[in-house]
Amino acid sequence: MYRSVYIDNFLKKVKKSSQEENARVLASLFAYTEKHVDQLAAQNVKTMKPHEIQGFTKNVQLEAPWSEIVIHHMKTALYLDAGEYEEAFLSQKEVVQSLQRFMPNMTRWILPVLYLFNNDLRLIATRADQDKEAAEGQRRKLEEAANVISKSFTYCITDRGPMVTSKKYGTYRMIGMLFRIYFKLKQQNLCKNILRAVKAADMPSLEQFPKSDRVTFRYYLGRLYFLEEDYVKAENELNLAFKECTKHHLKNKELILQTLLPVKLMKGMLPTKTLLSMFPQSRQIYSQLAIAVKKGNVKSFNVALTNSESTLIKQRTYFAVEKAESIALRQLFRKVFLVMGQNTRLPIAKFQQALNFEGMTIDIEEAEWMLANMIYKGYMKGYLSHEKMYLVLTSQYDLSSFGFFQRNTIQEVMNFSAITVTERTELGQRQSIEVENNVIHVYMNPQGLSGIIISDKDYPSRVAFSLLNKVVDEVLTKYSHWNTADTIEYPELTQYIQKYQDPQQADNIMKVQKELDETTTIMYKTIESLLQRGEKNHW
């Protein structure tokens, strides 16, 4: 008699909770806890025939779909107890599908139960795949689970009920489960289908969802951007995920750091000792890498990278971390720049010597190639003079209209021409010099600071000198104690170069003149059309 008491009580609780729409209690009842599985196993349910198991549910008079769910749930528990995971997966699949058939008639209250059933299906599928390697060409249980869970996702995202009771609030939890499976199966491309569906749906804002759902979604979205090498978006999503993840979930925060730290490292942003002290695994990988980057010690960086190679490959971040070698090189080259008195013209041989000192035995041509690569990646501003084997650190150039292999030559010509014209310009003088198909506009202010613009012949000189006046005045104001040996940061110059590509948009007077010309043209056309219309009416 005792053996049926547990099941009777279990069924009565299921009935009561389902009628009261108490999903949290229902979820706790259907959880495959060790105690629950042991109790069911002790009832000899495994030896019962299907109609005998159904007899339990009829006695309690469970409504659909709970009678069917209970039967499959009990079978799953018994298969789990026996270690028969493939059979457990199939019966748990029936549990989920039994609930799905009634999802259109249910509201938001059912979501905790939906989460439990689908997540249990994922866990059992994972265990079944571990227990028995899938034969070649055979679908794995986890793939089957993803197909079933995707239907639960569809029921959530397509719910058309009132938003207060909408199942749409379960969307991001289901996305988290699916993304986790897709990443495990290395089928990240399937994530895009989910993202397209979310974009097309009329969804509440992400901030209205539970924090745990937001963190999970942003974590996987950040990883997805990372794999696509969209590091700006990856950093943004991972930063938000790390910030929102509570300090009590250190394991989850460290998972986020596995992808976030490589992105930061590529930008030259190093983790602090305080941060690494909280996360042992990250400290083991990145402490030596960060020190090497900071010191510009390329040899130590490569040693640390080799030591962590297997872990980084497993985390799929090895190639991203490897790119941070450029940051270490930049630090090393910066030391050369400082040792050489911050001279803007540096022999390539000096960089070769620095690299050899770091244990990298290379010839001067390879050193030149490394410098060219640093310039190309944007880690340094300047150009190489191959003839003189010099690196020339420069200010801002826009050479995008020239072919890649032309840029160094064009830049050398521009630099030489600019220096020559400047030397022949007196204080307070403005002049424009034609050089082949271009014009060099130069302004030497009374304090001896000059500005150069090289443009084509059609570019208005008035606009060119307007920009030169603006730049020279701003530099003098912003860097009043500037010494010519110093390197200054003037990011506004890039914006000005882009803005002044169209002189009519950049210059107010020219813009007004253009508008007047257009108005005059329209007036002429209007008068002509009126005259023509009058002539037609007259005849």
Side-chain angles (χ1 to χ4, degrees):
M1 182 65 180
Y2 167 78
R3 290 180 177 177
S4 64
V5 171
Y6 179 80
I7 295 178
D8 286 340
N9 288 336
F10 169 69
L11 296 176
K12 288 175 183 177
K13 290 177 182 178
V14 170
K15 180 179 180 180
K16 183 174 184 293
S17 302
S18 61
Q19 289 176 340
E20 294 175 353
E21 296 187 349
N22 191 334
R24 297 194 180 279
V25 173
L26 268 175
S28 65
L29 290 171
F30 283 108
Y32 293 112
T33 61
E34 186 176 347
K35 180 180 178 181
H36 179 54
V37 172
D38 288 344
Q39 288 281 14
L40 289 177
Q43 312 306 311
N44 287 334
V45 179
K46 191 173 183 180
T47 61
M48 294 182 182
K49 296 180 180 179
H51 72 273
E52 292 177 314
I53 298 176
Q54 292 172 2
F56 283 109
T57 61
K58 289 181 179 179
N59 292 336
V60 182
Q61 296 181 343
L62 283 175
E63 297 178 357
W66 302 109
S67 57
E68 187 177 355
I69 288 173
V70 164
I71 293 170
H72 294 301
H73 168 77
M74 292 170 67
K75 289 181 180 179
T76 304
L78 295 170
Y79 285 132
L80 289 174
D81 181 64
E84 299 173 5
Y85 297 109
E86 284 195 57
E87 289 75 8
F89 168 77
L90 294 174
S91 55
Q92 181 63 21
K93 182 179 173 182
E94 292 292 338
V95 170
V96 177
Q97 291 176 334
S98 298
L99 181 62
Q100 286 177 343
R101 284 191 283 271
F102 283 80
M103 282 293 288
N105 302 321
M106 294 182 173
T107 57
R108 184 176 177 177
W109 76 270
I110 196 62
L111 290 179
V113 179
L114 183 72
Y115 300 156
L116 177 77
F117 287 177
N118 283 272
N119 195 51
D120 283 344
L121 181 67
R122 179 186 66 82
L123 294 172
I124 295 171
T126 303
R127 186 64 182 84
D129 287 340
Q130 291 173 352
D131 190 51
K132 184 178 180 181
E133 290 292 334
E136 187 176 353
Q138 181 180 341
R139 290 180 64 194
R140 287 175 286 185
K141 299 302 180 189
L142 199 56
E143 289 184 72
E144 290 186 48
N147 289 335
V148 176
I149 295 171
S150 66
K151 292 180 181 178
S152 296
F153 160 76
T154 301
Y155 281 118
C156 290
I157 198 171
T158 58
D159 188 12
R160 297 183 179 180
M163 197 57 70
V164 178
T165 58
S166 176
K167 296 188 290 292
K168 283 188 175 182
Y169 285 98
T171 300
Y172 283 102
R173 180 68 64 88
M174 304 314 301
I175 289 175
M177 291 185 202
L178 287 171
F179 278 13
R180 188 168 185 172
I181 293 173
Y182 294 153
F183 271 83
K184 187 175 182 65
L185 296 175
K186 298 182 181 180
Q187 296 177 351
Q188 295 90 340
N189 58 306
L190 297 177
C191 295
K192 294 183 179 180
N193 298 332
I194 301 294
L195 294 175
R196 279 194 290 267
V198 172
K199 188 176 181 180
D202 182 19
M203 292 285 293
S205 65
L206 184 58
E207 285 66 30
Q208 296 183 43
F209 288 79
K211 183 181 288 188
S212 59
D213 294 351
R214 297 199 305 266
V215 170
T216 303
F217 176 71
R218 282 175 167 148
Y219 164 66
Y220 281 109
L221 186 59
R223 287 187 65 188
L224 191 63
Y225 285 136
F226 178 84
L227 293 175
E228 294 174 349
E229 297 187 3
D230 191 340
Y231 298 121
V232 174
K233 290 182 179 179
E235 182 183 14
N236 181 57
E237 296 298 336
L238 292 168
N239 270 334
L240 289 171
F242 187 80
K243 183 179 179 180
E244 286 200 289
C245 188
T246 60
K247 61 182 180 180
H248 304 294
H249 294 87
L250 291 178
K251 184 178 179 181
N252 291 338
K253 291 179 83 74
E254 183 143 43
L255 279 174
I256 297 169
L257 283 178
Q258 286 180 5
T259 311
L260 181 57
L261 285 178
V263 176
K264 296 284 190 183
L265 202 61
M266 282 190 292
K267 294 176 61 179
M269 300 175 67
L270 307 179
T272 62
K273 290 183 179 179
T274 305
L275 177 69
L276 292 178
S277 65
M278 299 169 60
F279 305 100
Q281 189 177 8
S282 297
R283 181 175 67 248
Q284 185 177 357
I285 297 172
Y286 290 99
S287 59
Q288 293 303 315
L289 286 170
I291 292 171
V293 169
K294 187 175 182 179
K295 292 183 176 180
N297 192 327
V298 182
K299 184 178 180 180
S300 296
F301 178 88
N302 288 324
V303 170
L305 183 65
T306 302
N307 291 339
S308 302
E309 182 177 353
S310 58
T311 304
L312 292 172
I313 290 174
K314 186 178 179 181
Q315 295 175 358
R316 304 181 194 179
T317 57
Y318 176 82
F319 292 110
V321 175
E322 188 182 37
K323 291 178 182 178
E325 182 188 24
S326 297
I327 306 297
L329 277 172
R330 184 179 67 179
Q331 288 296 97
L332 176 62
F333 292 163
R334 184 173 180 274
K335 288 182 178 180
V336 175
F337 170 70
L338 294 173
V339 169
M340 295 294 292
Q342 300 184 12
N343 195 334
T344 57
R345 297 173 63 84
L346 301 168
I348 295 176
K350 295 297 181 182
F351 295 99
Q352 180 196 11
Q353 292 172 11
L355 290 166
N356 289 338
F357 182 77
E358 287 293 326
M360 300 175 66
T361 306
I362 61 173
D363 54 32
I364 195 165
E365 286 78 13
E366 191 172 354
E368 182 184 18
W369 176 86
M370 293 176 75
L371 287 167
N373 194 39
M374 295 290 286
I375 294 170
Y376 175 73
K377 289 180 178 179
Y379 291 123
M380 300 170 65
K381 290 182 180 180
Y383 66 94
L384 293 170
S385 173
H386 178 71
E387 183 180 353
K388 298 180 180 180
M389 295 304 286
Y390 262 77
L391 167 69
V392 181
L393 299 175
T394 62
S395 53
Q396 187 67 41
Y397 289 84
D398 182 7
L399 303 175
S400 57
S401 59
F402 297 98
F404 175 75
F405 294 103
Q406 294 178 287
R407 292 177 188 175
N408 281 348
T409 303
I410 296 294
Q411 198 161 310
E412 284 190 43
V413 172
M414 290 172 65
N415 196 54
F416 174 78
S417 301
I419 293 172
T420 303
V421 172
T422 303
E423 289 174 348
R424 289 165 174 75
T425 304
E426 298 179 0
L427 295 177
Q429 184 182 9
R430 294 180 178 84
Q431 59 177 336
S432 299
I433 311 296
E434 287 192 17
V435 180
E436 296 182 357
N437 295 322
N438 298 315
V439 178
I440 300 176
H441 306 280
V442 59
Y443 166 53
M444 178 75 73
N445 86 325
Q447 287 78 27
L449 178 63
S450 64
I452 297 285
I453 288 179
I454 302 178
S455 66
D456 57 31
K457 290 183 178 180
D458 296 328
Y459 197 88
S461 59
R462 201 186 68 77
V463 181
F465 286 117
S466 174
L467 175 57
L468 286 174
N469 286 342
K470 184 179 184 67
V471 170
V472 169
D473 289 345
E474 282 189 9
V475 169
L476 284 175
T477 302
K478 192 173 182 180
Y479 304 99
S480 56
H481 301 291
W482 176 45
N483 187 290
T484 54
D486 297 334
T487 301
I488 63 172
E489 292 291 334
Y490 187 48
E492 295 86 354
L493 188 56
T494 304
Q495 300 171 12
Y496 289 147
I497 287 178
Q498 293 173 351
K499 178 181 178 182
Y500 277 77
Q501 291 298 319
D502 184 356
Q504 292 172 343
Q505 291 296 323
D507 188 79
N508 290 330
I509 295 177
M510 289 200 67
K511 187 176 181 181
V512 170
Q513 183 61 48
K514 182 184 177 185
E515 290 174 354
L516 287 172
D517 292 342
E518 289 177 349
T519 304
T520 304
T521 303
I522 293 170
M523 288 175 65
Y524 286 153
K525 288 181 178 178
T526 305
I527 292 171
E528 288 173 359
S529 61
L530 282 172
L531 290 172
Q532 290 174 1
R533 187 174 64 182
E535 290 173 357
K536 290 178 182 178
N537 290 340
H538 178 74
W539 290 104

